[in-house]
């Protein structure tokens, strides 16, 4: 079965940097759009950043200019470099793989999440 395994979360001080990574297995990686979502306590899960197989990216307004998403199709990995972190970035970060087979048949896979805590 498909596996998405996140790593790299942890505790960082405000203004610091952190990189989270996601390793995918048992999918044809370059057929999937890869995204990072996050969910803070008491809040809905939200899209942070996404990258297509061709490398096109989009970001939530709240992270634009601070976060960078990247992928390595040869290694089946996607990363999220997070700079200038603030306490508002504290959340569980989830890796998502998405593929639209047709307009109504879509595939979505999720990782288990990795905790990022920004605190002094």
């Amino acid at each position: 079965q498909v596996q998405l395994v996140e790593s790299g979360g942890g505790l960082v001080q405000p203004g610091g940097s952190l990189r989270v990574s996601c390793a995918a297995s048992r999918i044809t990686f370059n057929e999937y759009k890869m995204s990072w979502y996050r969910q803070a306590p008491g809040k809905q899960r939200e899209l942070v950043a996404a990258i297509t197989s061709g490398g096109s990216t989009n970001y939530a307004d709240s992270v634009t200019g601070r976060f960078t998403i990247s992928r390595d199709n040869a290694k089946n990995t996607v990363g999220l470099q997070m700079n200038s972190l603030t306490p508002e970035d504290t959340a569980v970060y989830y890796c998502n793989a998405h593929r639209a087979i047709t307009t109504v048949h879509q595939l979505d896979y999720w990782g288990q999440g990795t905790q990022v805590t920004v605190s002094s």
Side-chain angles (χ1 to χ4, degrees):
Q1 70 205 49
V2 175
Q3 280 192 319
L4 300 176
V5 180
E6 298 101 334
S7 61
L11 174 65
V12 62
Q13 291 188 342
S17 297
L18 201 64
R19 179 178 176 83
V20 291
S21 298
C22 172
S25 58
R26 301 186 182 92
I27 62 171
T28 306
F29 187 74
N30 61 8
E31 293 181 348
Y32 284 78
K33 179 179 182 179
M34 300 300 297
S35 302
W36 286 97
Y37 286 74
R38 67 186 180 187
Q39 187 166 19
K43 295 188 177 181
Q44 289 189 330
R45 190 174 296 189
E46 64 174 356
L47 175 68
V48 176
I51 184 167
T52 67
S53 58
S56 297
T57 60
N58 65 279
Y59 297 91
D61 289 344
S62 59
V63 307
T64 297
R66 300 189 299 123
F67 290 13
T68 302
I69 189 171
S70 61
R71 66 189 291 162
D72 186 333
N73 289 336
K75 296 182 178 179
N76 288 9
T77 58
V78 59
L80 184 69
Q81 176 67 40
M82 303 181 287
N83 299 328
S84 302
L85 286 160
T86 74
E88 288 68 39
D89 296 313
T90 295
V92 178
Y93 283 70
Y94 295 92
C95 178
N96 168 265
H98 174 83
R99 180 184 173 194
I101 308 297
T102 67
T103 54
V104 296
H105 182 200
Q106 317 227 345
L107 298 175
D108 273 285
Y109 300 102
W110 294 90
Q112 82 286 353
T114 185
Q115 177 70 47
V116 172
T117 302
V118 185
S119 175
S120 55

